[in-house]
C-alpha cells in the first residue's frame, strides 16, 4: 500500500483513533505555509477567497489537467500574507492550511489507485503528550468533530473543483498568461505558468455549454476568478511593503 502525501506534507500515516495527536495551537501554521507562493483553493472557497487573492489555475502536466490556486506571493518560496509566523488575520485563510496536520489521501495498491480515501495525519504530530480525539469505546470526542467535518467537506469540494477544471479544459476556456511588472525599487517581476479563463471565448459556447456552466455554478466561479485577478495589484503593494531580505 502506498500513500502519497499532499504538497507541503512530509510523512503521513493513516490516522489511528487510539493514538494521541499534538494539535497545533490557534494561529499556528504548517511549515510549508510561509515558503510557497500559491495555495490550493477549492470550489466553495472561490466566493470568499476572490476578495483577498488572485485566483488562477495551475497545471503540472503541461495543460492536460488543472487545479485552482490562490497566488500569495510574487516570487518562488514567498508568502506575502505571513509575518512573524502568523497569517494576516484580515484575510481569508484557505482550508488547505486549516486542515493541517490532517488530510485525506488516496491509496495506491499494486500500482492501481483505489477509490477509497484514508484520513491521514503527519506522523510527527503523533505524540504521547498529545490529545486523544476518540474515547476508549471509539466514539469521537468534541475536539475531533470539527476536524472531521472540515476534512470531509473539503474532500467533497475538491471533487467539485476537479469537475469544474475538467469542464473548463473541455470547453477550451483556459489560456496561459504571464504577469510582468515592476515593484518598488525597480525590480523586474515575471510570474509565469498560470492559466486564466479567456472571457472572450464564453460568447462562442453553445447554449448547452452555457446552461451547464450555470447549472453547476461554474459561471459564478469564472467571474469570481476574473474579478480576483485585480488582486495582483494588491499583491504588488504588499511586495513593496515587505522589507528586503537580509
Amino acid at each position: 500500500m502506498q500513500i502519497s502525501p499532499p504538497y507541503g506534507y512530509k510523512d503521513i500515516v493513516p490516522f489511528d483513533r487510539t493514538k494521541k495527536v499534538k494539535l497545533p495551537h490557534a494561529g499556528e501554521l504548517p511549515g510549508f505555509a510561509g515558503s510557497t507562493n500559491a495555495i490550493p483553493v477549492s470550489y466553495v472557497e472561490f466566493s470568499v477567497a476572490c476578495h483577498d487573492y488572485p485566483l488562477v489555475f495551475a497545471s503540472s502536466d503541461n495543460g492536460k489537467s488543472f487545479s485552482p490556486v490562490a497566488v500569495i506571493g510574487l516570487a518562488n518560496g514567498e508568502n506575502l500574507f505571513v509575518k512573524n509566523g502568523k497569517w494576516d488575520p484580515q484575510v481569508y485563510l484557505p482550508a488547505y492550511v486549516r486542515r493541517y496536520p490532517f488530510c485525506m489521501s488516496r491509496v495506491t495498491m499494486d500500482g492501481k489507485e483505489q477509490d477509497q480515501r484514508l484520513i491521514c495525519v503527519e506522523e510527527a504530530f503523533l505524540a504521547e503528550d498529545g490529545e486523544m480525539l476518540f474515547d476508549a469505546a471509539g466514539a469521537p470526542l468534541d475536539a475531533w468533530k470539527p476536524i472531521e467535518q472540515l476534512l470531509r467537506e473539503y474532500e467533497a469540494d475538491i471533487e467539485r473543483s476537479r469537475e469544474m477544471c475538467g469542464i473548463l479544459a473541455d470547453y477550451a476556456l483556459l489560456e496561459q498568461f504571464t504577469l510582468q511588472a515592476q515593484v518598488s525599487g525597480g525590480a523586474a517581476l515575471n510570474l509565469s505558468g498560470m492559466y486564466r479563463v479567456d472571457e472572450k471565448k464564453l460568447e462562442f459556447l453553445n447554449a448547452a455549454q452555457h446552461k451547464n456552466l450555470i447549472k453547476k455554478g461554474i459561471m459564478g466561479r469564472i467571474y469570481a476568478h476574473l474579478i480576483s485577478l485585480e488582486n495582483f495589484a494588491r499583491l504588488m503593494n504588499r511586495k513593496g511593503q515587505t522589507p528586503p531580505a537580509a
Side-chain angles (χ1 to χ4, degrees):
M1 182 175 71
Q2 180 183 355
I3 304 174
S4 299
Y7 168 78
Y9 289 68
K10 295 178 181 177
D11 298 311
I12 61 172
V13 294
F15 175 52
D16 182 343
R17 63 182 60 189
T18 66
K19 300 291 186 181
K20 293 181 178 179
V21 180
K22 199 165 187 177
L23 298 175
H25 300 297
E28 183 180 352
L29 297 175
F32 67 81
S35 58
T36 181
N37 68 348
I39 287 286
V41 290
S42 62
Y43 178 92
V44 166
E45 293 183 286
F46 268 60
S47 60
V48 59
C50 71
H51 297 290
D52 298 313
Y53 313 104
L55 304 182
V56 302
F57 298 89
S59 177
S60 59
D61 51 16
N62 296 316
K64 295 178 183 176
S65 63
F66 300 90
S67 57
V69 299
V71 181
I72 54 178
L74 297 172
N76 289 333
E78 174 185 73
N79 185 341
L80 296 171
F81 294 88
V82 170
K83 185 176 182 181
N84 298 324
K86 302 293 183 181
W87 202 286
D88 185 345
Q90 302 301 315
V91 301
Y92 173 74
L93 180 61
Y96 192 93
V97 177
R98 286 185 279 119
R99 68 175 182 167
Y100 190 84
F102 295 95
C103 66
M104 294 189 73
S105 180
R106 289 180 180 269
V107 176
T108 300
M109 298 185 68
D110 299 324
K112 185 177 180 181
E113 190 176 80
Q114 306 300 300
D115 290 333
Q116 74 269 25
R117 294 173 179 78
L118 285 176
I119 294 179
C120 296
V121 62
E122 280 276 29
E123 191 170 18
F125 283 77
L126 299 176
E128 282 304 314
D129 60 345
E131 184 175 345
M132 288 299 299
L133 298 174
F134 289 80
D135 64 21
L141 298 173
D142 288 343
W144 173 247
K145 294 174 183 177
I147 296 172
E148 182 179 30
Q149 182 179 356
L150 173 61
L151 289 172
R152 297 201 180 280
E153 288 179 354
Y154 183 66
E155 193 63 27
D157 205 32
I158 288 176
E159 290 304 313
R160 288 191 285 268
S161 301
R162 290 195 182 105
E163 180 186 33
M164 174 179 68
C165 290
I167 290 172
L168 294 178
D170 185 52
Y171 292 180
L173 291 174
L174 296 174
E175 62 172 1
Q176 194 168 14
F177 74 104
T178 298
L179 176 68
Q180 294 178 322
Q182 282 190 329
V183 293
S184 61
L189 175 68
N190 193 318
L191 196 62
S192 60
M194 302 176 292
Y195 293 80
R196 64 187 173 194
V197 170
D198 184 348
E199 189 175 8
K200 297 188 297 295
K201 290 184 178 180
L202 290 174
E203 64 179 290
F204 297 107
L205 298 178
N206 60 45
Q209 289 172 323
H210 269 288
K211 183 178 180 179
N212 194 39
L213 291 179
I214 294 170
K215 179 181 178 181
K216 292 183 176 294
I218 297 174
M219 190 68 81
R221 269 73 192 175
I222 288 175
Y223 282 106
H225 147 68
L226 292 173
I227 291 170
S228 80
L229 298 181
E230 298 295 328
N231 288 325
F232 274 116
R234 297 175 67 187
L235 266 188
M236 286 187 281
N237 288 337
R238 278 183 175 263
K239 179 82 170 178
Q241 296 166 6
T242 301

